[in-house]
Amino acid sequence: MTVQLTAEQVLDEHSQASVLSVDFFDTLITRSVAQPTHVFAVMEQNLISSHGDSWRGFAVARVEAEQRARQLAEQVDDQRDVSLDEIVYQLAQQLVLSRSDSDMVMTLERETELQLVQAVPFGVEITELARARGMRVVVVSDNYMPATHLLQMAHRAGYSWITKADIFVSCEHGGMKHNGMLWPVVLSALNSLAGSILHVGDDARADGEVPKSLGIATHVRDTMRRSHRDMINTTPAVLPLSRIEAEYRNAMDETRWDVGEVIGGGLVAMIVAAQVLDAHFVLGKRSVAGVHFAARDGYLAHQVWNTLRSRGWELPVATYTAFSRSVVWRAWLSELTRENIGRFVGDDEVLTVSRLERRVGCALDSPLDREMPIDASVARDLVLDNTDIVLSATNSLRTRLLTYLRSHEVLMSGHHIVVDLGWTGSTIADLADLVSVESQNQSVIEGRLTGLYWDATPQRMRIAMHGFAMDEFGSTDDNVRLLGVIKLLEALVTAPHGSVVDYEDDGTPIFVETVPELQAYEAVMRQVGDAAVRGALAILDGTHPSGMTTADITKESIWAAIMQVGHSPRTDEIDLLSQVNHVTSIDHEGNGRPLIAVTPDEPAKVTLEDLPGMYDTLMHRHWMQGSLRALENNVDSRWIADEMYKLNPMTSPRWVP
Amino acid sequence: MTKIAVVMRTYERPVLLARAIASVQLQTFTDWELVVVNNGGQQAGVDAVVRTAMNATPSGSIRVIHLADRVGMEEASNRGLADSDSEFFVIHDDDDSWDARFLEVAIAALHGSPTAVAAVTGVTRIYETFRGGKVWPVSHEDFPLSQGRLTYRGMIGGNTFPPIAALFRRSVLNTVGNFDSSLPVLGDWEFNLRAVAAGDFVFIPERLAHYHTRTAESDTASGNSITIGEDLHRNIKLQLQDRWLKEPAVNGVNKGALSIAAAAEALTGELQINTPIVHVDIEHIANRTAEIIKLQRLSRRIARSVRHPGHGIRAIGRAVRRTIGK
C-alpha cells in the first residue's frame, strides 16, 4: 500500500515554487471510463447506433491509426507530437472514410471527450491550493488535441479559471514533455526559471525524470492509471466493466486501491449477476420445477438470489446443490478398465495407499505399507486388483448421492435448471443422466452455464445447455483463451468450503478442506466474494454507483469482462492472485498447483524445445494468461512470453479482434 | 407462416447435429422454423438429440422429417423445403454452425435489397478433428469470398461458398425451381447459378457463417462430403459442364464453355486468394507436448528405479505380466 502525499504536503515540500505546472489527462481531468482508449469504444457504440454495423471495430482502428500517425511523424521529425488531424487522416485511409465521415469522426471524438470528462479530486485540490497561495497555475500536456479543446474540457470539468494562455500542449509547439522539448517553450512563455516551477503529473518519465533533469521540481502521482489495461483492447463490450473500474478508481481513497475489491466488484459481480439473470430469464420462458445453483461455482449467485427474494423479488426457492466431477463420475461407475481408471490416478501423481483409499471410498486389499509413496502405475494396478470392492463402494456412493439429490428435490418431476460456470458440461451431463434414469425420465436437467468451449459439443446430445458469455461457436482463438482462464474463474467464483467428495448415509455432503484453499479464501477470495455479492445486487436492483444496470449484462459484456481481467490482467491483479493455489485432484487433497505458474529458476536455461510442453502445462494446470503475463513482467523470463506469443498468437495480450 | 425455414439435412452424426441445432437456437433473430431432415438414418438417435435440444430455452420450433431410405442431399433439401412454409429459407448442414447474429444480419440485408434473391455472409472455415465422439479444433481461416464471387461470372467456374453462408428468398424457387435431386454433390452450386441468374446475391463481409471441415485424422463417418469425396466432386463438376455444353447458347454464350474457361482461369486465382490468415497447429503442439511428457516420465521412472531398485524390479515384473497377458 502506497501512502500518497496530500495536495498540501506536495506544495509544502516545494515551497520555493512560484509556478505550478500540471499535466492534463489523468492529473487534472479523467474520464468516466477505465482507460483513455475506452473513449473510442464509446464513440464506436454511438457510431453503430447512429450509422450502422459498418462502424464495428472502429475503436481498435482508432488506436491503430494513432500508432501509425506517430510512427510516420517520427520518421519526419521525432521531436514533435501528432495532431488529431493526422490521426484522423490515418483512420480515413484505413476505413476508407469520406471527407464528411472524417469530419464527423473528429467532431464526435471532441464531443465524446467532453461528455465523459471528470475532474480529478487531487487536481482540483492542488490547483485551488496553489492559486490560494498566489502561484501561477499552468497546464502542460503531451496530447494531440488543440489547446482550445483542452480548455473546453477543463471548463466542463469545473476548472473555470483556466484560460487558453494557461495551456501548453505538445501538438501545438513542436515538442513534447516526453523528450524535454516542450519545457523551453513553457519557460519562455512564463518568463520563469526552471527552479521556480513545480510540475505534477502521472507519467514517470514525461512528468518525472525529464523535467527533473532540466531542474524542474516534480511530483509524480499515477493513481488515475490504476485502472488502465492494455490499450488495444477497446470495444463497446468492455464499457460496463470499464465504468465499474473507473468508479472504483474515483471512489477509492488514494491510499487504498484494493485489488481484491475491484476484481470482486467488477468481473465477479458481473458474472454473478449474469448467473442470476440467466436463471431468471429461463423462469420467464418455461415452467421450471427447480432452480439449482451448483456448489461451488454457484455459491455467490445463490446468496444473491436469496437476498433478492428477501427484498421482495418474485423468485422461487433455489437450492445450493453440491456435486462434483469426481463424485458424479464415481457414482456412475459400473466397470473398471485400464482406460477409465486413469481418472482415479493422474499420470504424474505419487500417492499413498491410504490416500488412494480415500479416493475410491473404500479400504483396499493391499500388502503395501499404507503410507509408502506409490507411483501412478502401482496405484492403478492396486485399484484394478480391488475391482469388486471399488465397484461396491461406488455403488454405495451412488445411493448416497441420490439420497442427497432427492433431498434437494432434483429428482422431482419436471424441468430443472442447474446454474454453474461451465466449461465442458460433462459433469452436469453425467448428473442429468443419473437423474434421468433414477426419475424414469420424469426429471429433466438443463445446464445454464457461464461459458462453454469446444469440448462441450458432445454433451449437447445428452443435455440442453446454454453458455451465457461464450459457447463453442466462438472462434478457435476465443476457445483457447477461455480454456486458459478457466482456473482463474473457478478460483474467483468459489465458496468458503471445499469441494464435495462424498455424502453421509443421510445425504449430507462431505466437503474436503485443504489448507491452500482455506488460506487463499481467507487471504483473497472472501473479500472478492463479498464485493461480488454487493456489486451484483447493486447491478440487479439498479443502484450501482457506475450507473450499470441489468441491460448492461450481455453475452458480449460478460465475455469482455472475462477477457479484460482474465486475458489482460494488471500487474497488481497478478501479484494478488499469485498467492492462490488450485486444487484439482479427484480427492481435492494435497497442495494443488499455483494459479500462476512459478517462473523458472533459470529462465535462460529454458530452450525453445521446452516451450510446447510449457504451453500445455500453463494451459491445463494454471491460469495460462496470468502466468504468461507474469513471465512477461520479469526481465529475465520475458523472452519466454515473447516466444510463446509468436508460437501461439492468441495468447498475446490483445483479445479484441 | 414463419419468416425463415432452416432446413437441416442429417445422417448419423448426432454429436454434430446437436451442435448444429444449438447454433440455430442461439440466433438473435427468433422467427424461424427448423426442419431436420433425417436422411434415412436411425430415428431414435435424431429424436433424442432433438428432444434434448428442445429442452433448452425454446426459440422457434423444431420438426423432424424421417426419410425411410437415404436419398441424395439435394432431394433431402427439397423434402425439407416442401414440408415448410416461409418467406425465406436456408440450408444448414448438420456439421456447420452460425454466429448468433447470422439470421438477423442476413435478413436485414435482404430487407434492404428488395430485388436480391439471396444474402451471403462472410465465412470462417474451421478445421476440426472428430474422433471418438469428440470435436477438437485444429485451425481456422478466412474463407475467400467477395461480392465478385457472388455474381454469375464469379460463380460459373466453381462453387464459391458453402450453403451455410446463404439466406434465400423462397420466391426464387418459383422462378428457378428446386435443387436438382439427380446430383449427389454440388447441387448447391448448380442451384446458385440458376438463382443468381434470377436476381442478385448480396454480400455481407462480416464472417457470420462457420464452415466446419474435418481433418484427415477424423473418424470417417464425420467427414465432409467435399473432403471425403473429392473425386466425386470433380466428376460431377465435369458432368455438369458437359450438360451445360449441350444447352443452347444465351446471347451467344454457352454456359458450359463459360464454366470451363472460368474454372481454368480461377485455378491460378484460387492459389493466390486461398491463403490462410490464421493457422494455429494446436494438434501439433498437443502431440509434441505428449511426446515430451512421455520422455520426462520415462526418465523419472528410470531415475526412480536406480534410486529404489525394488520398485524398478516390480515395475518390470508388472510390464512383463501385462505383455504376456497374465
Side-chain angles (χ1 to χ4, degrees), chain A residues 53 286 381 415 448 473 609, chain B residues 56-57 101 210 288 318:
Chain A
D53 270 357
R286 59 163 77 243
D381 283 345
H415 188 92
R448 304 297 299 192
F473 306 112
E609 273 288 283
Chain B
T57 301
R101 294 173 54 247
H210 304 160
R288 183 79 190 102
R318 279 195 303 275

Side-chain angles (χ1 to χ4, degrees), chain A residues 234-250:
Chain A
T234 177
T235 177
V238 303
L239 292 174
L241 180 69
S242 177
R243 289 193 166 114
I244 291 179
E245 293 194 335
E247 185 62 31
Y248 270 120
R249 177 198 63 201
N250 297 345

Side-chain angles (χ1 to χ4, degrees), chain A residues 53 56 285-286 375 378 381 415 444 446 448 454 458 461 463-464 471 473 476-477 609 612 616 648 650, chain B residues 15 19 22-23 26 52 54-58 97 101 126 128 133 137 140 210 280 285 288-289 292 304 318:
Chain A
D53 270 357
R56 275 186 202 283
K285 287 280 181 182
R286 59 163 77 243
D375 67 15
V378 175
D381 283 345
H415 188 92
V444 174
E446 175 188 352
R448 304 297 299 192
W454 281 83
M461 286 173 60
I463 180 173
D471 51 51
F473 306 112
T476 311
D477 287 357
E609 273 288 283
D616 188 70
N648 312 289
M650 85 293 282
Chain B
V15 172
R19 177 178 70 180
S23 115
L26 287 169
T52 300
M54 287 172 77
N55 281 326
T57 301
S97 65
R101 294 173 54 247
I126 298 171
E128 60 194 17
H140 60 93
H210 304 160
V280 182
I285 294 166
R288 183 79 190 102
T289 304
I292 290 168
R304 204 159 46 228
R318 279 195 303 275

Side-chain angles (χ1 to χ4, degrees), chain A residues 299 494-496 516-527 530:
Chain A
Y299 177 79
T494 193
E517 283 193 325
L518 287 176
Q519 284 175 341
Y521 191 82
E522 289 308 322
V524 182
M525 297 312 167
R526 181 186 296 282
Q527 184 197 14
D530 289 348

Side-chain angles (χ1 to χ4, degrees), chain A residues 35 94 112 182 209 236 246 254 308 327 355 361 417 439 451 485 504 592 594 603 606 620 631:
Chain A
Q35 66 190 47
Q94 184 183 340
T112 309
L182 185 57
E209 291 165 27
E254 285 169 351
L308 291 173
V327 292
R355 186 169 171 193
I417 60 171
S439 69
V485 302
E504 305 284 5
V606 174
H620 291 106
L631 287 171

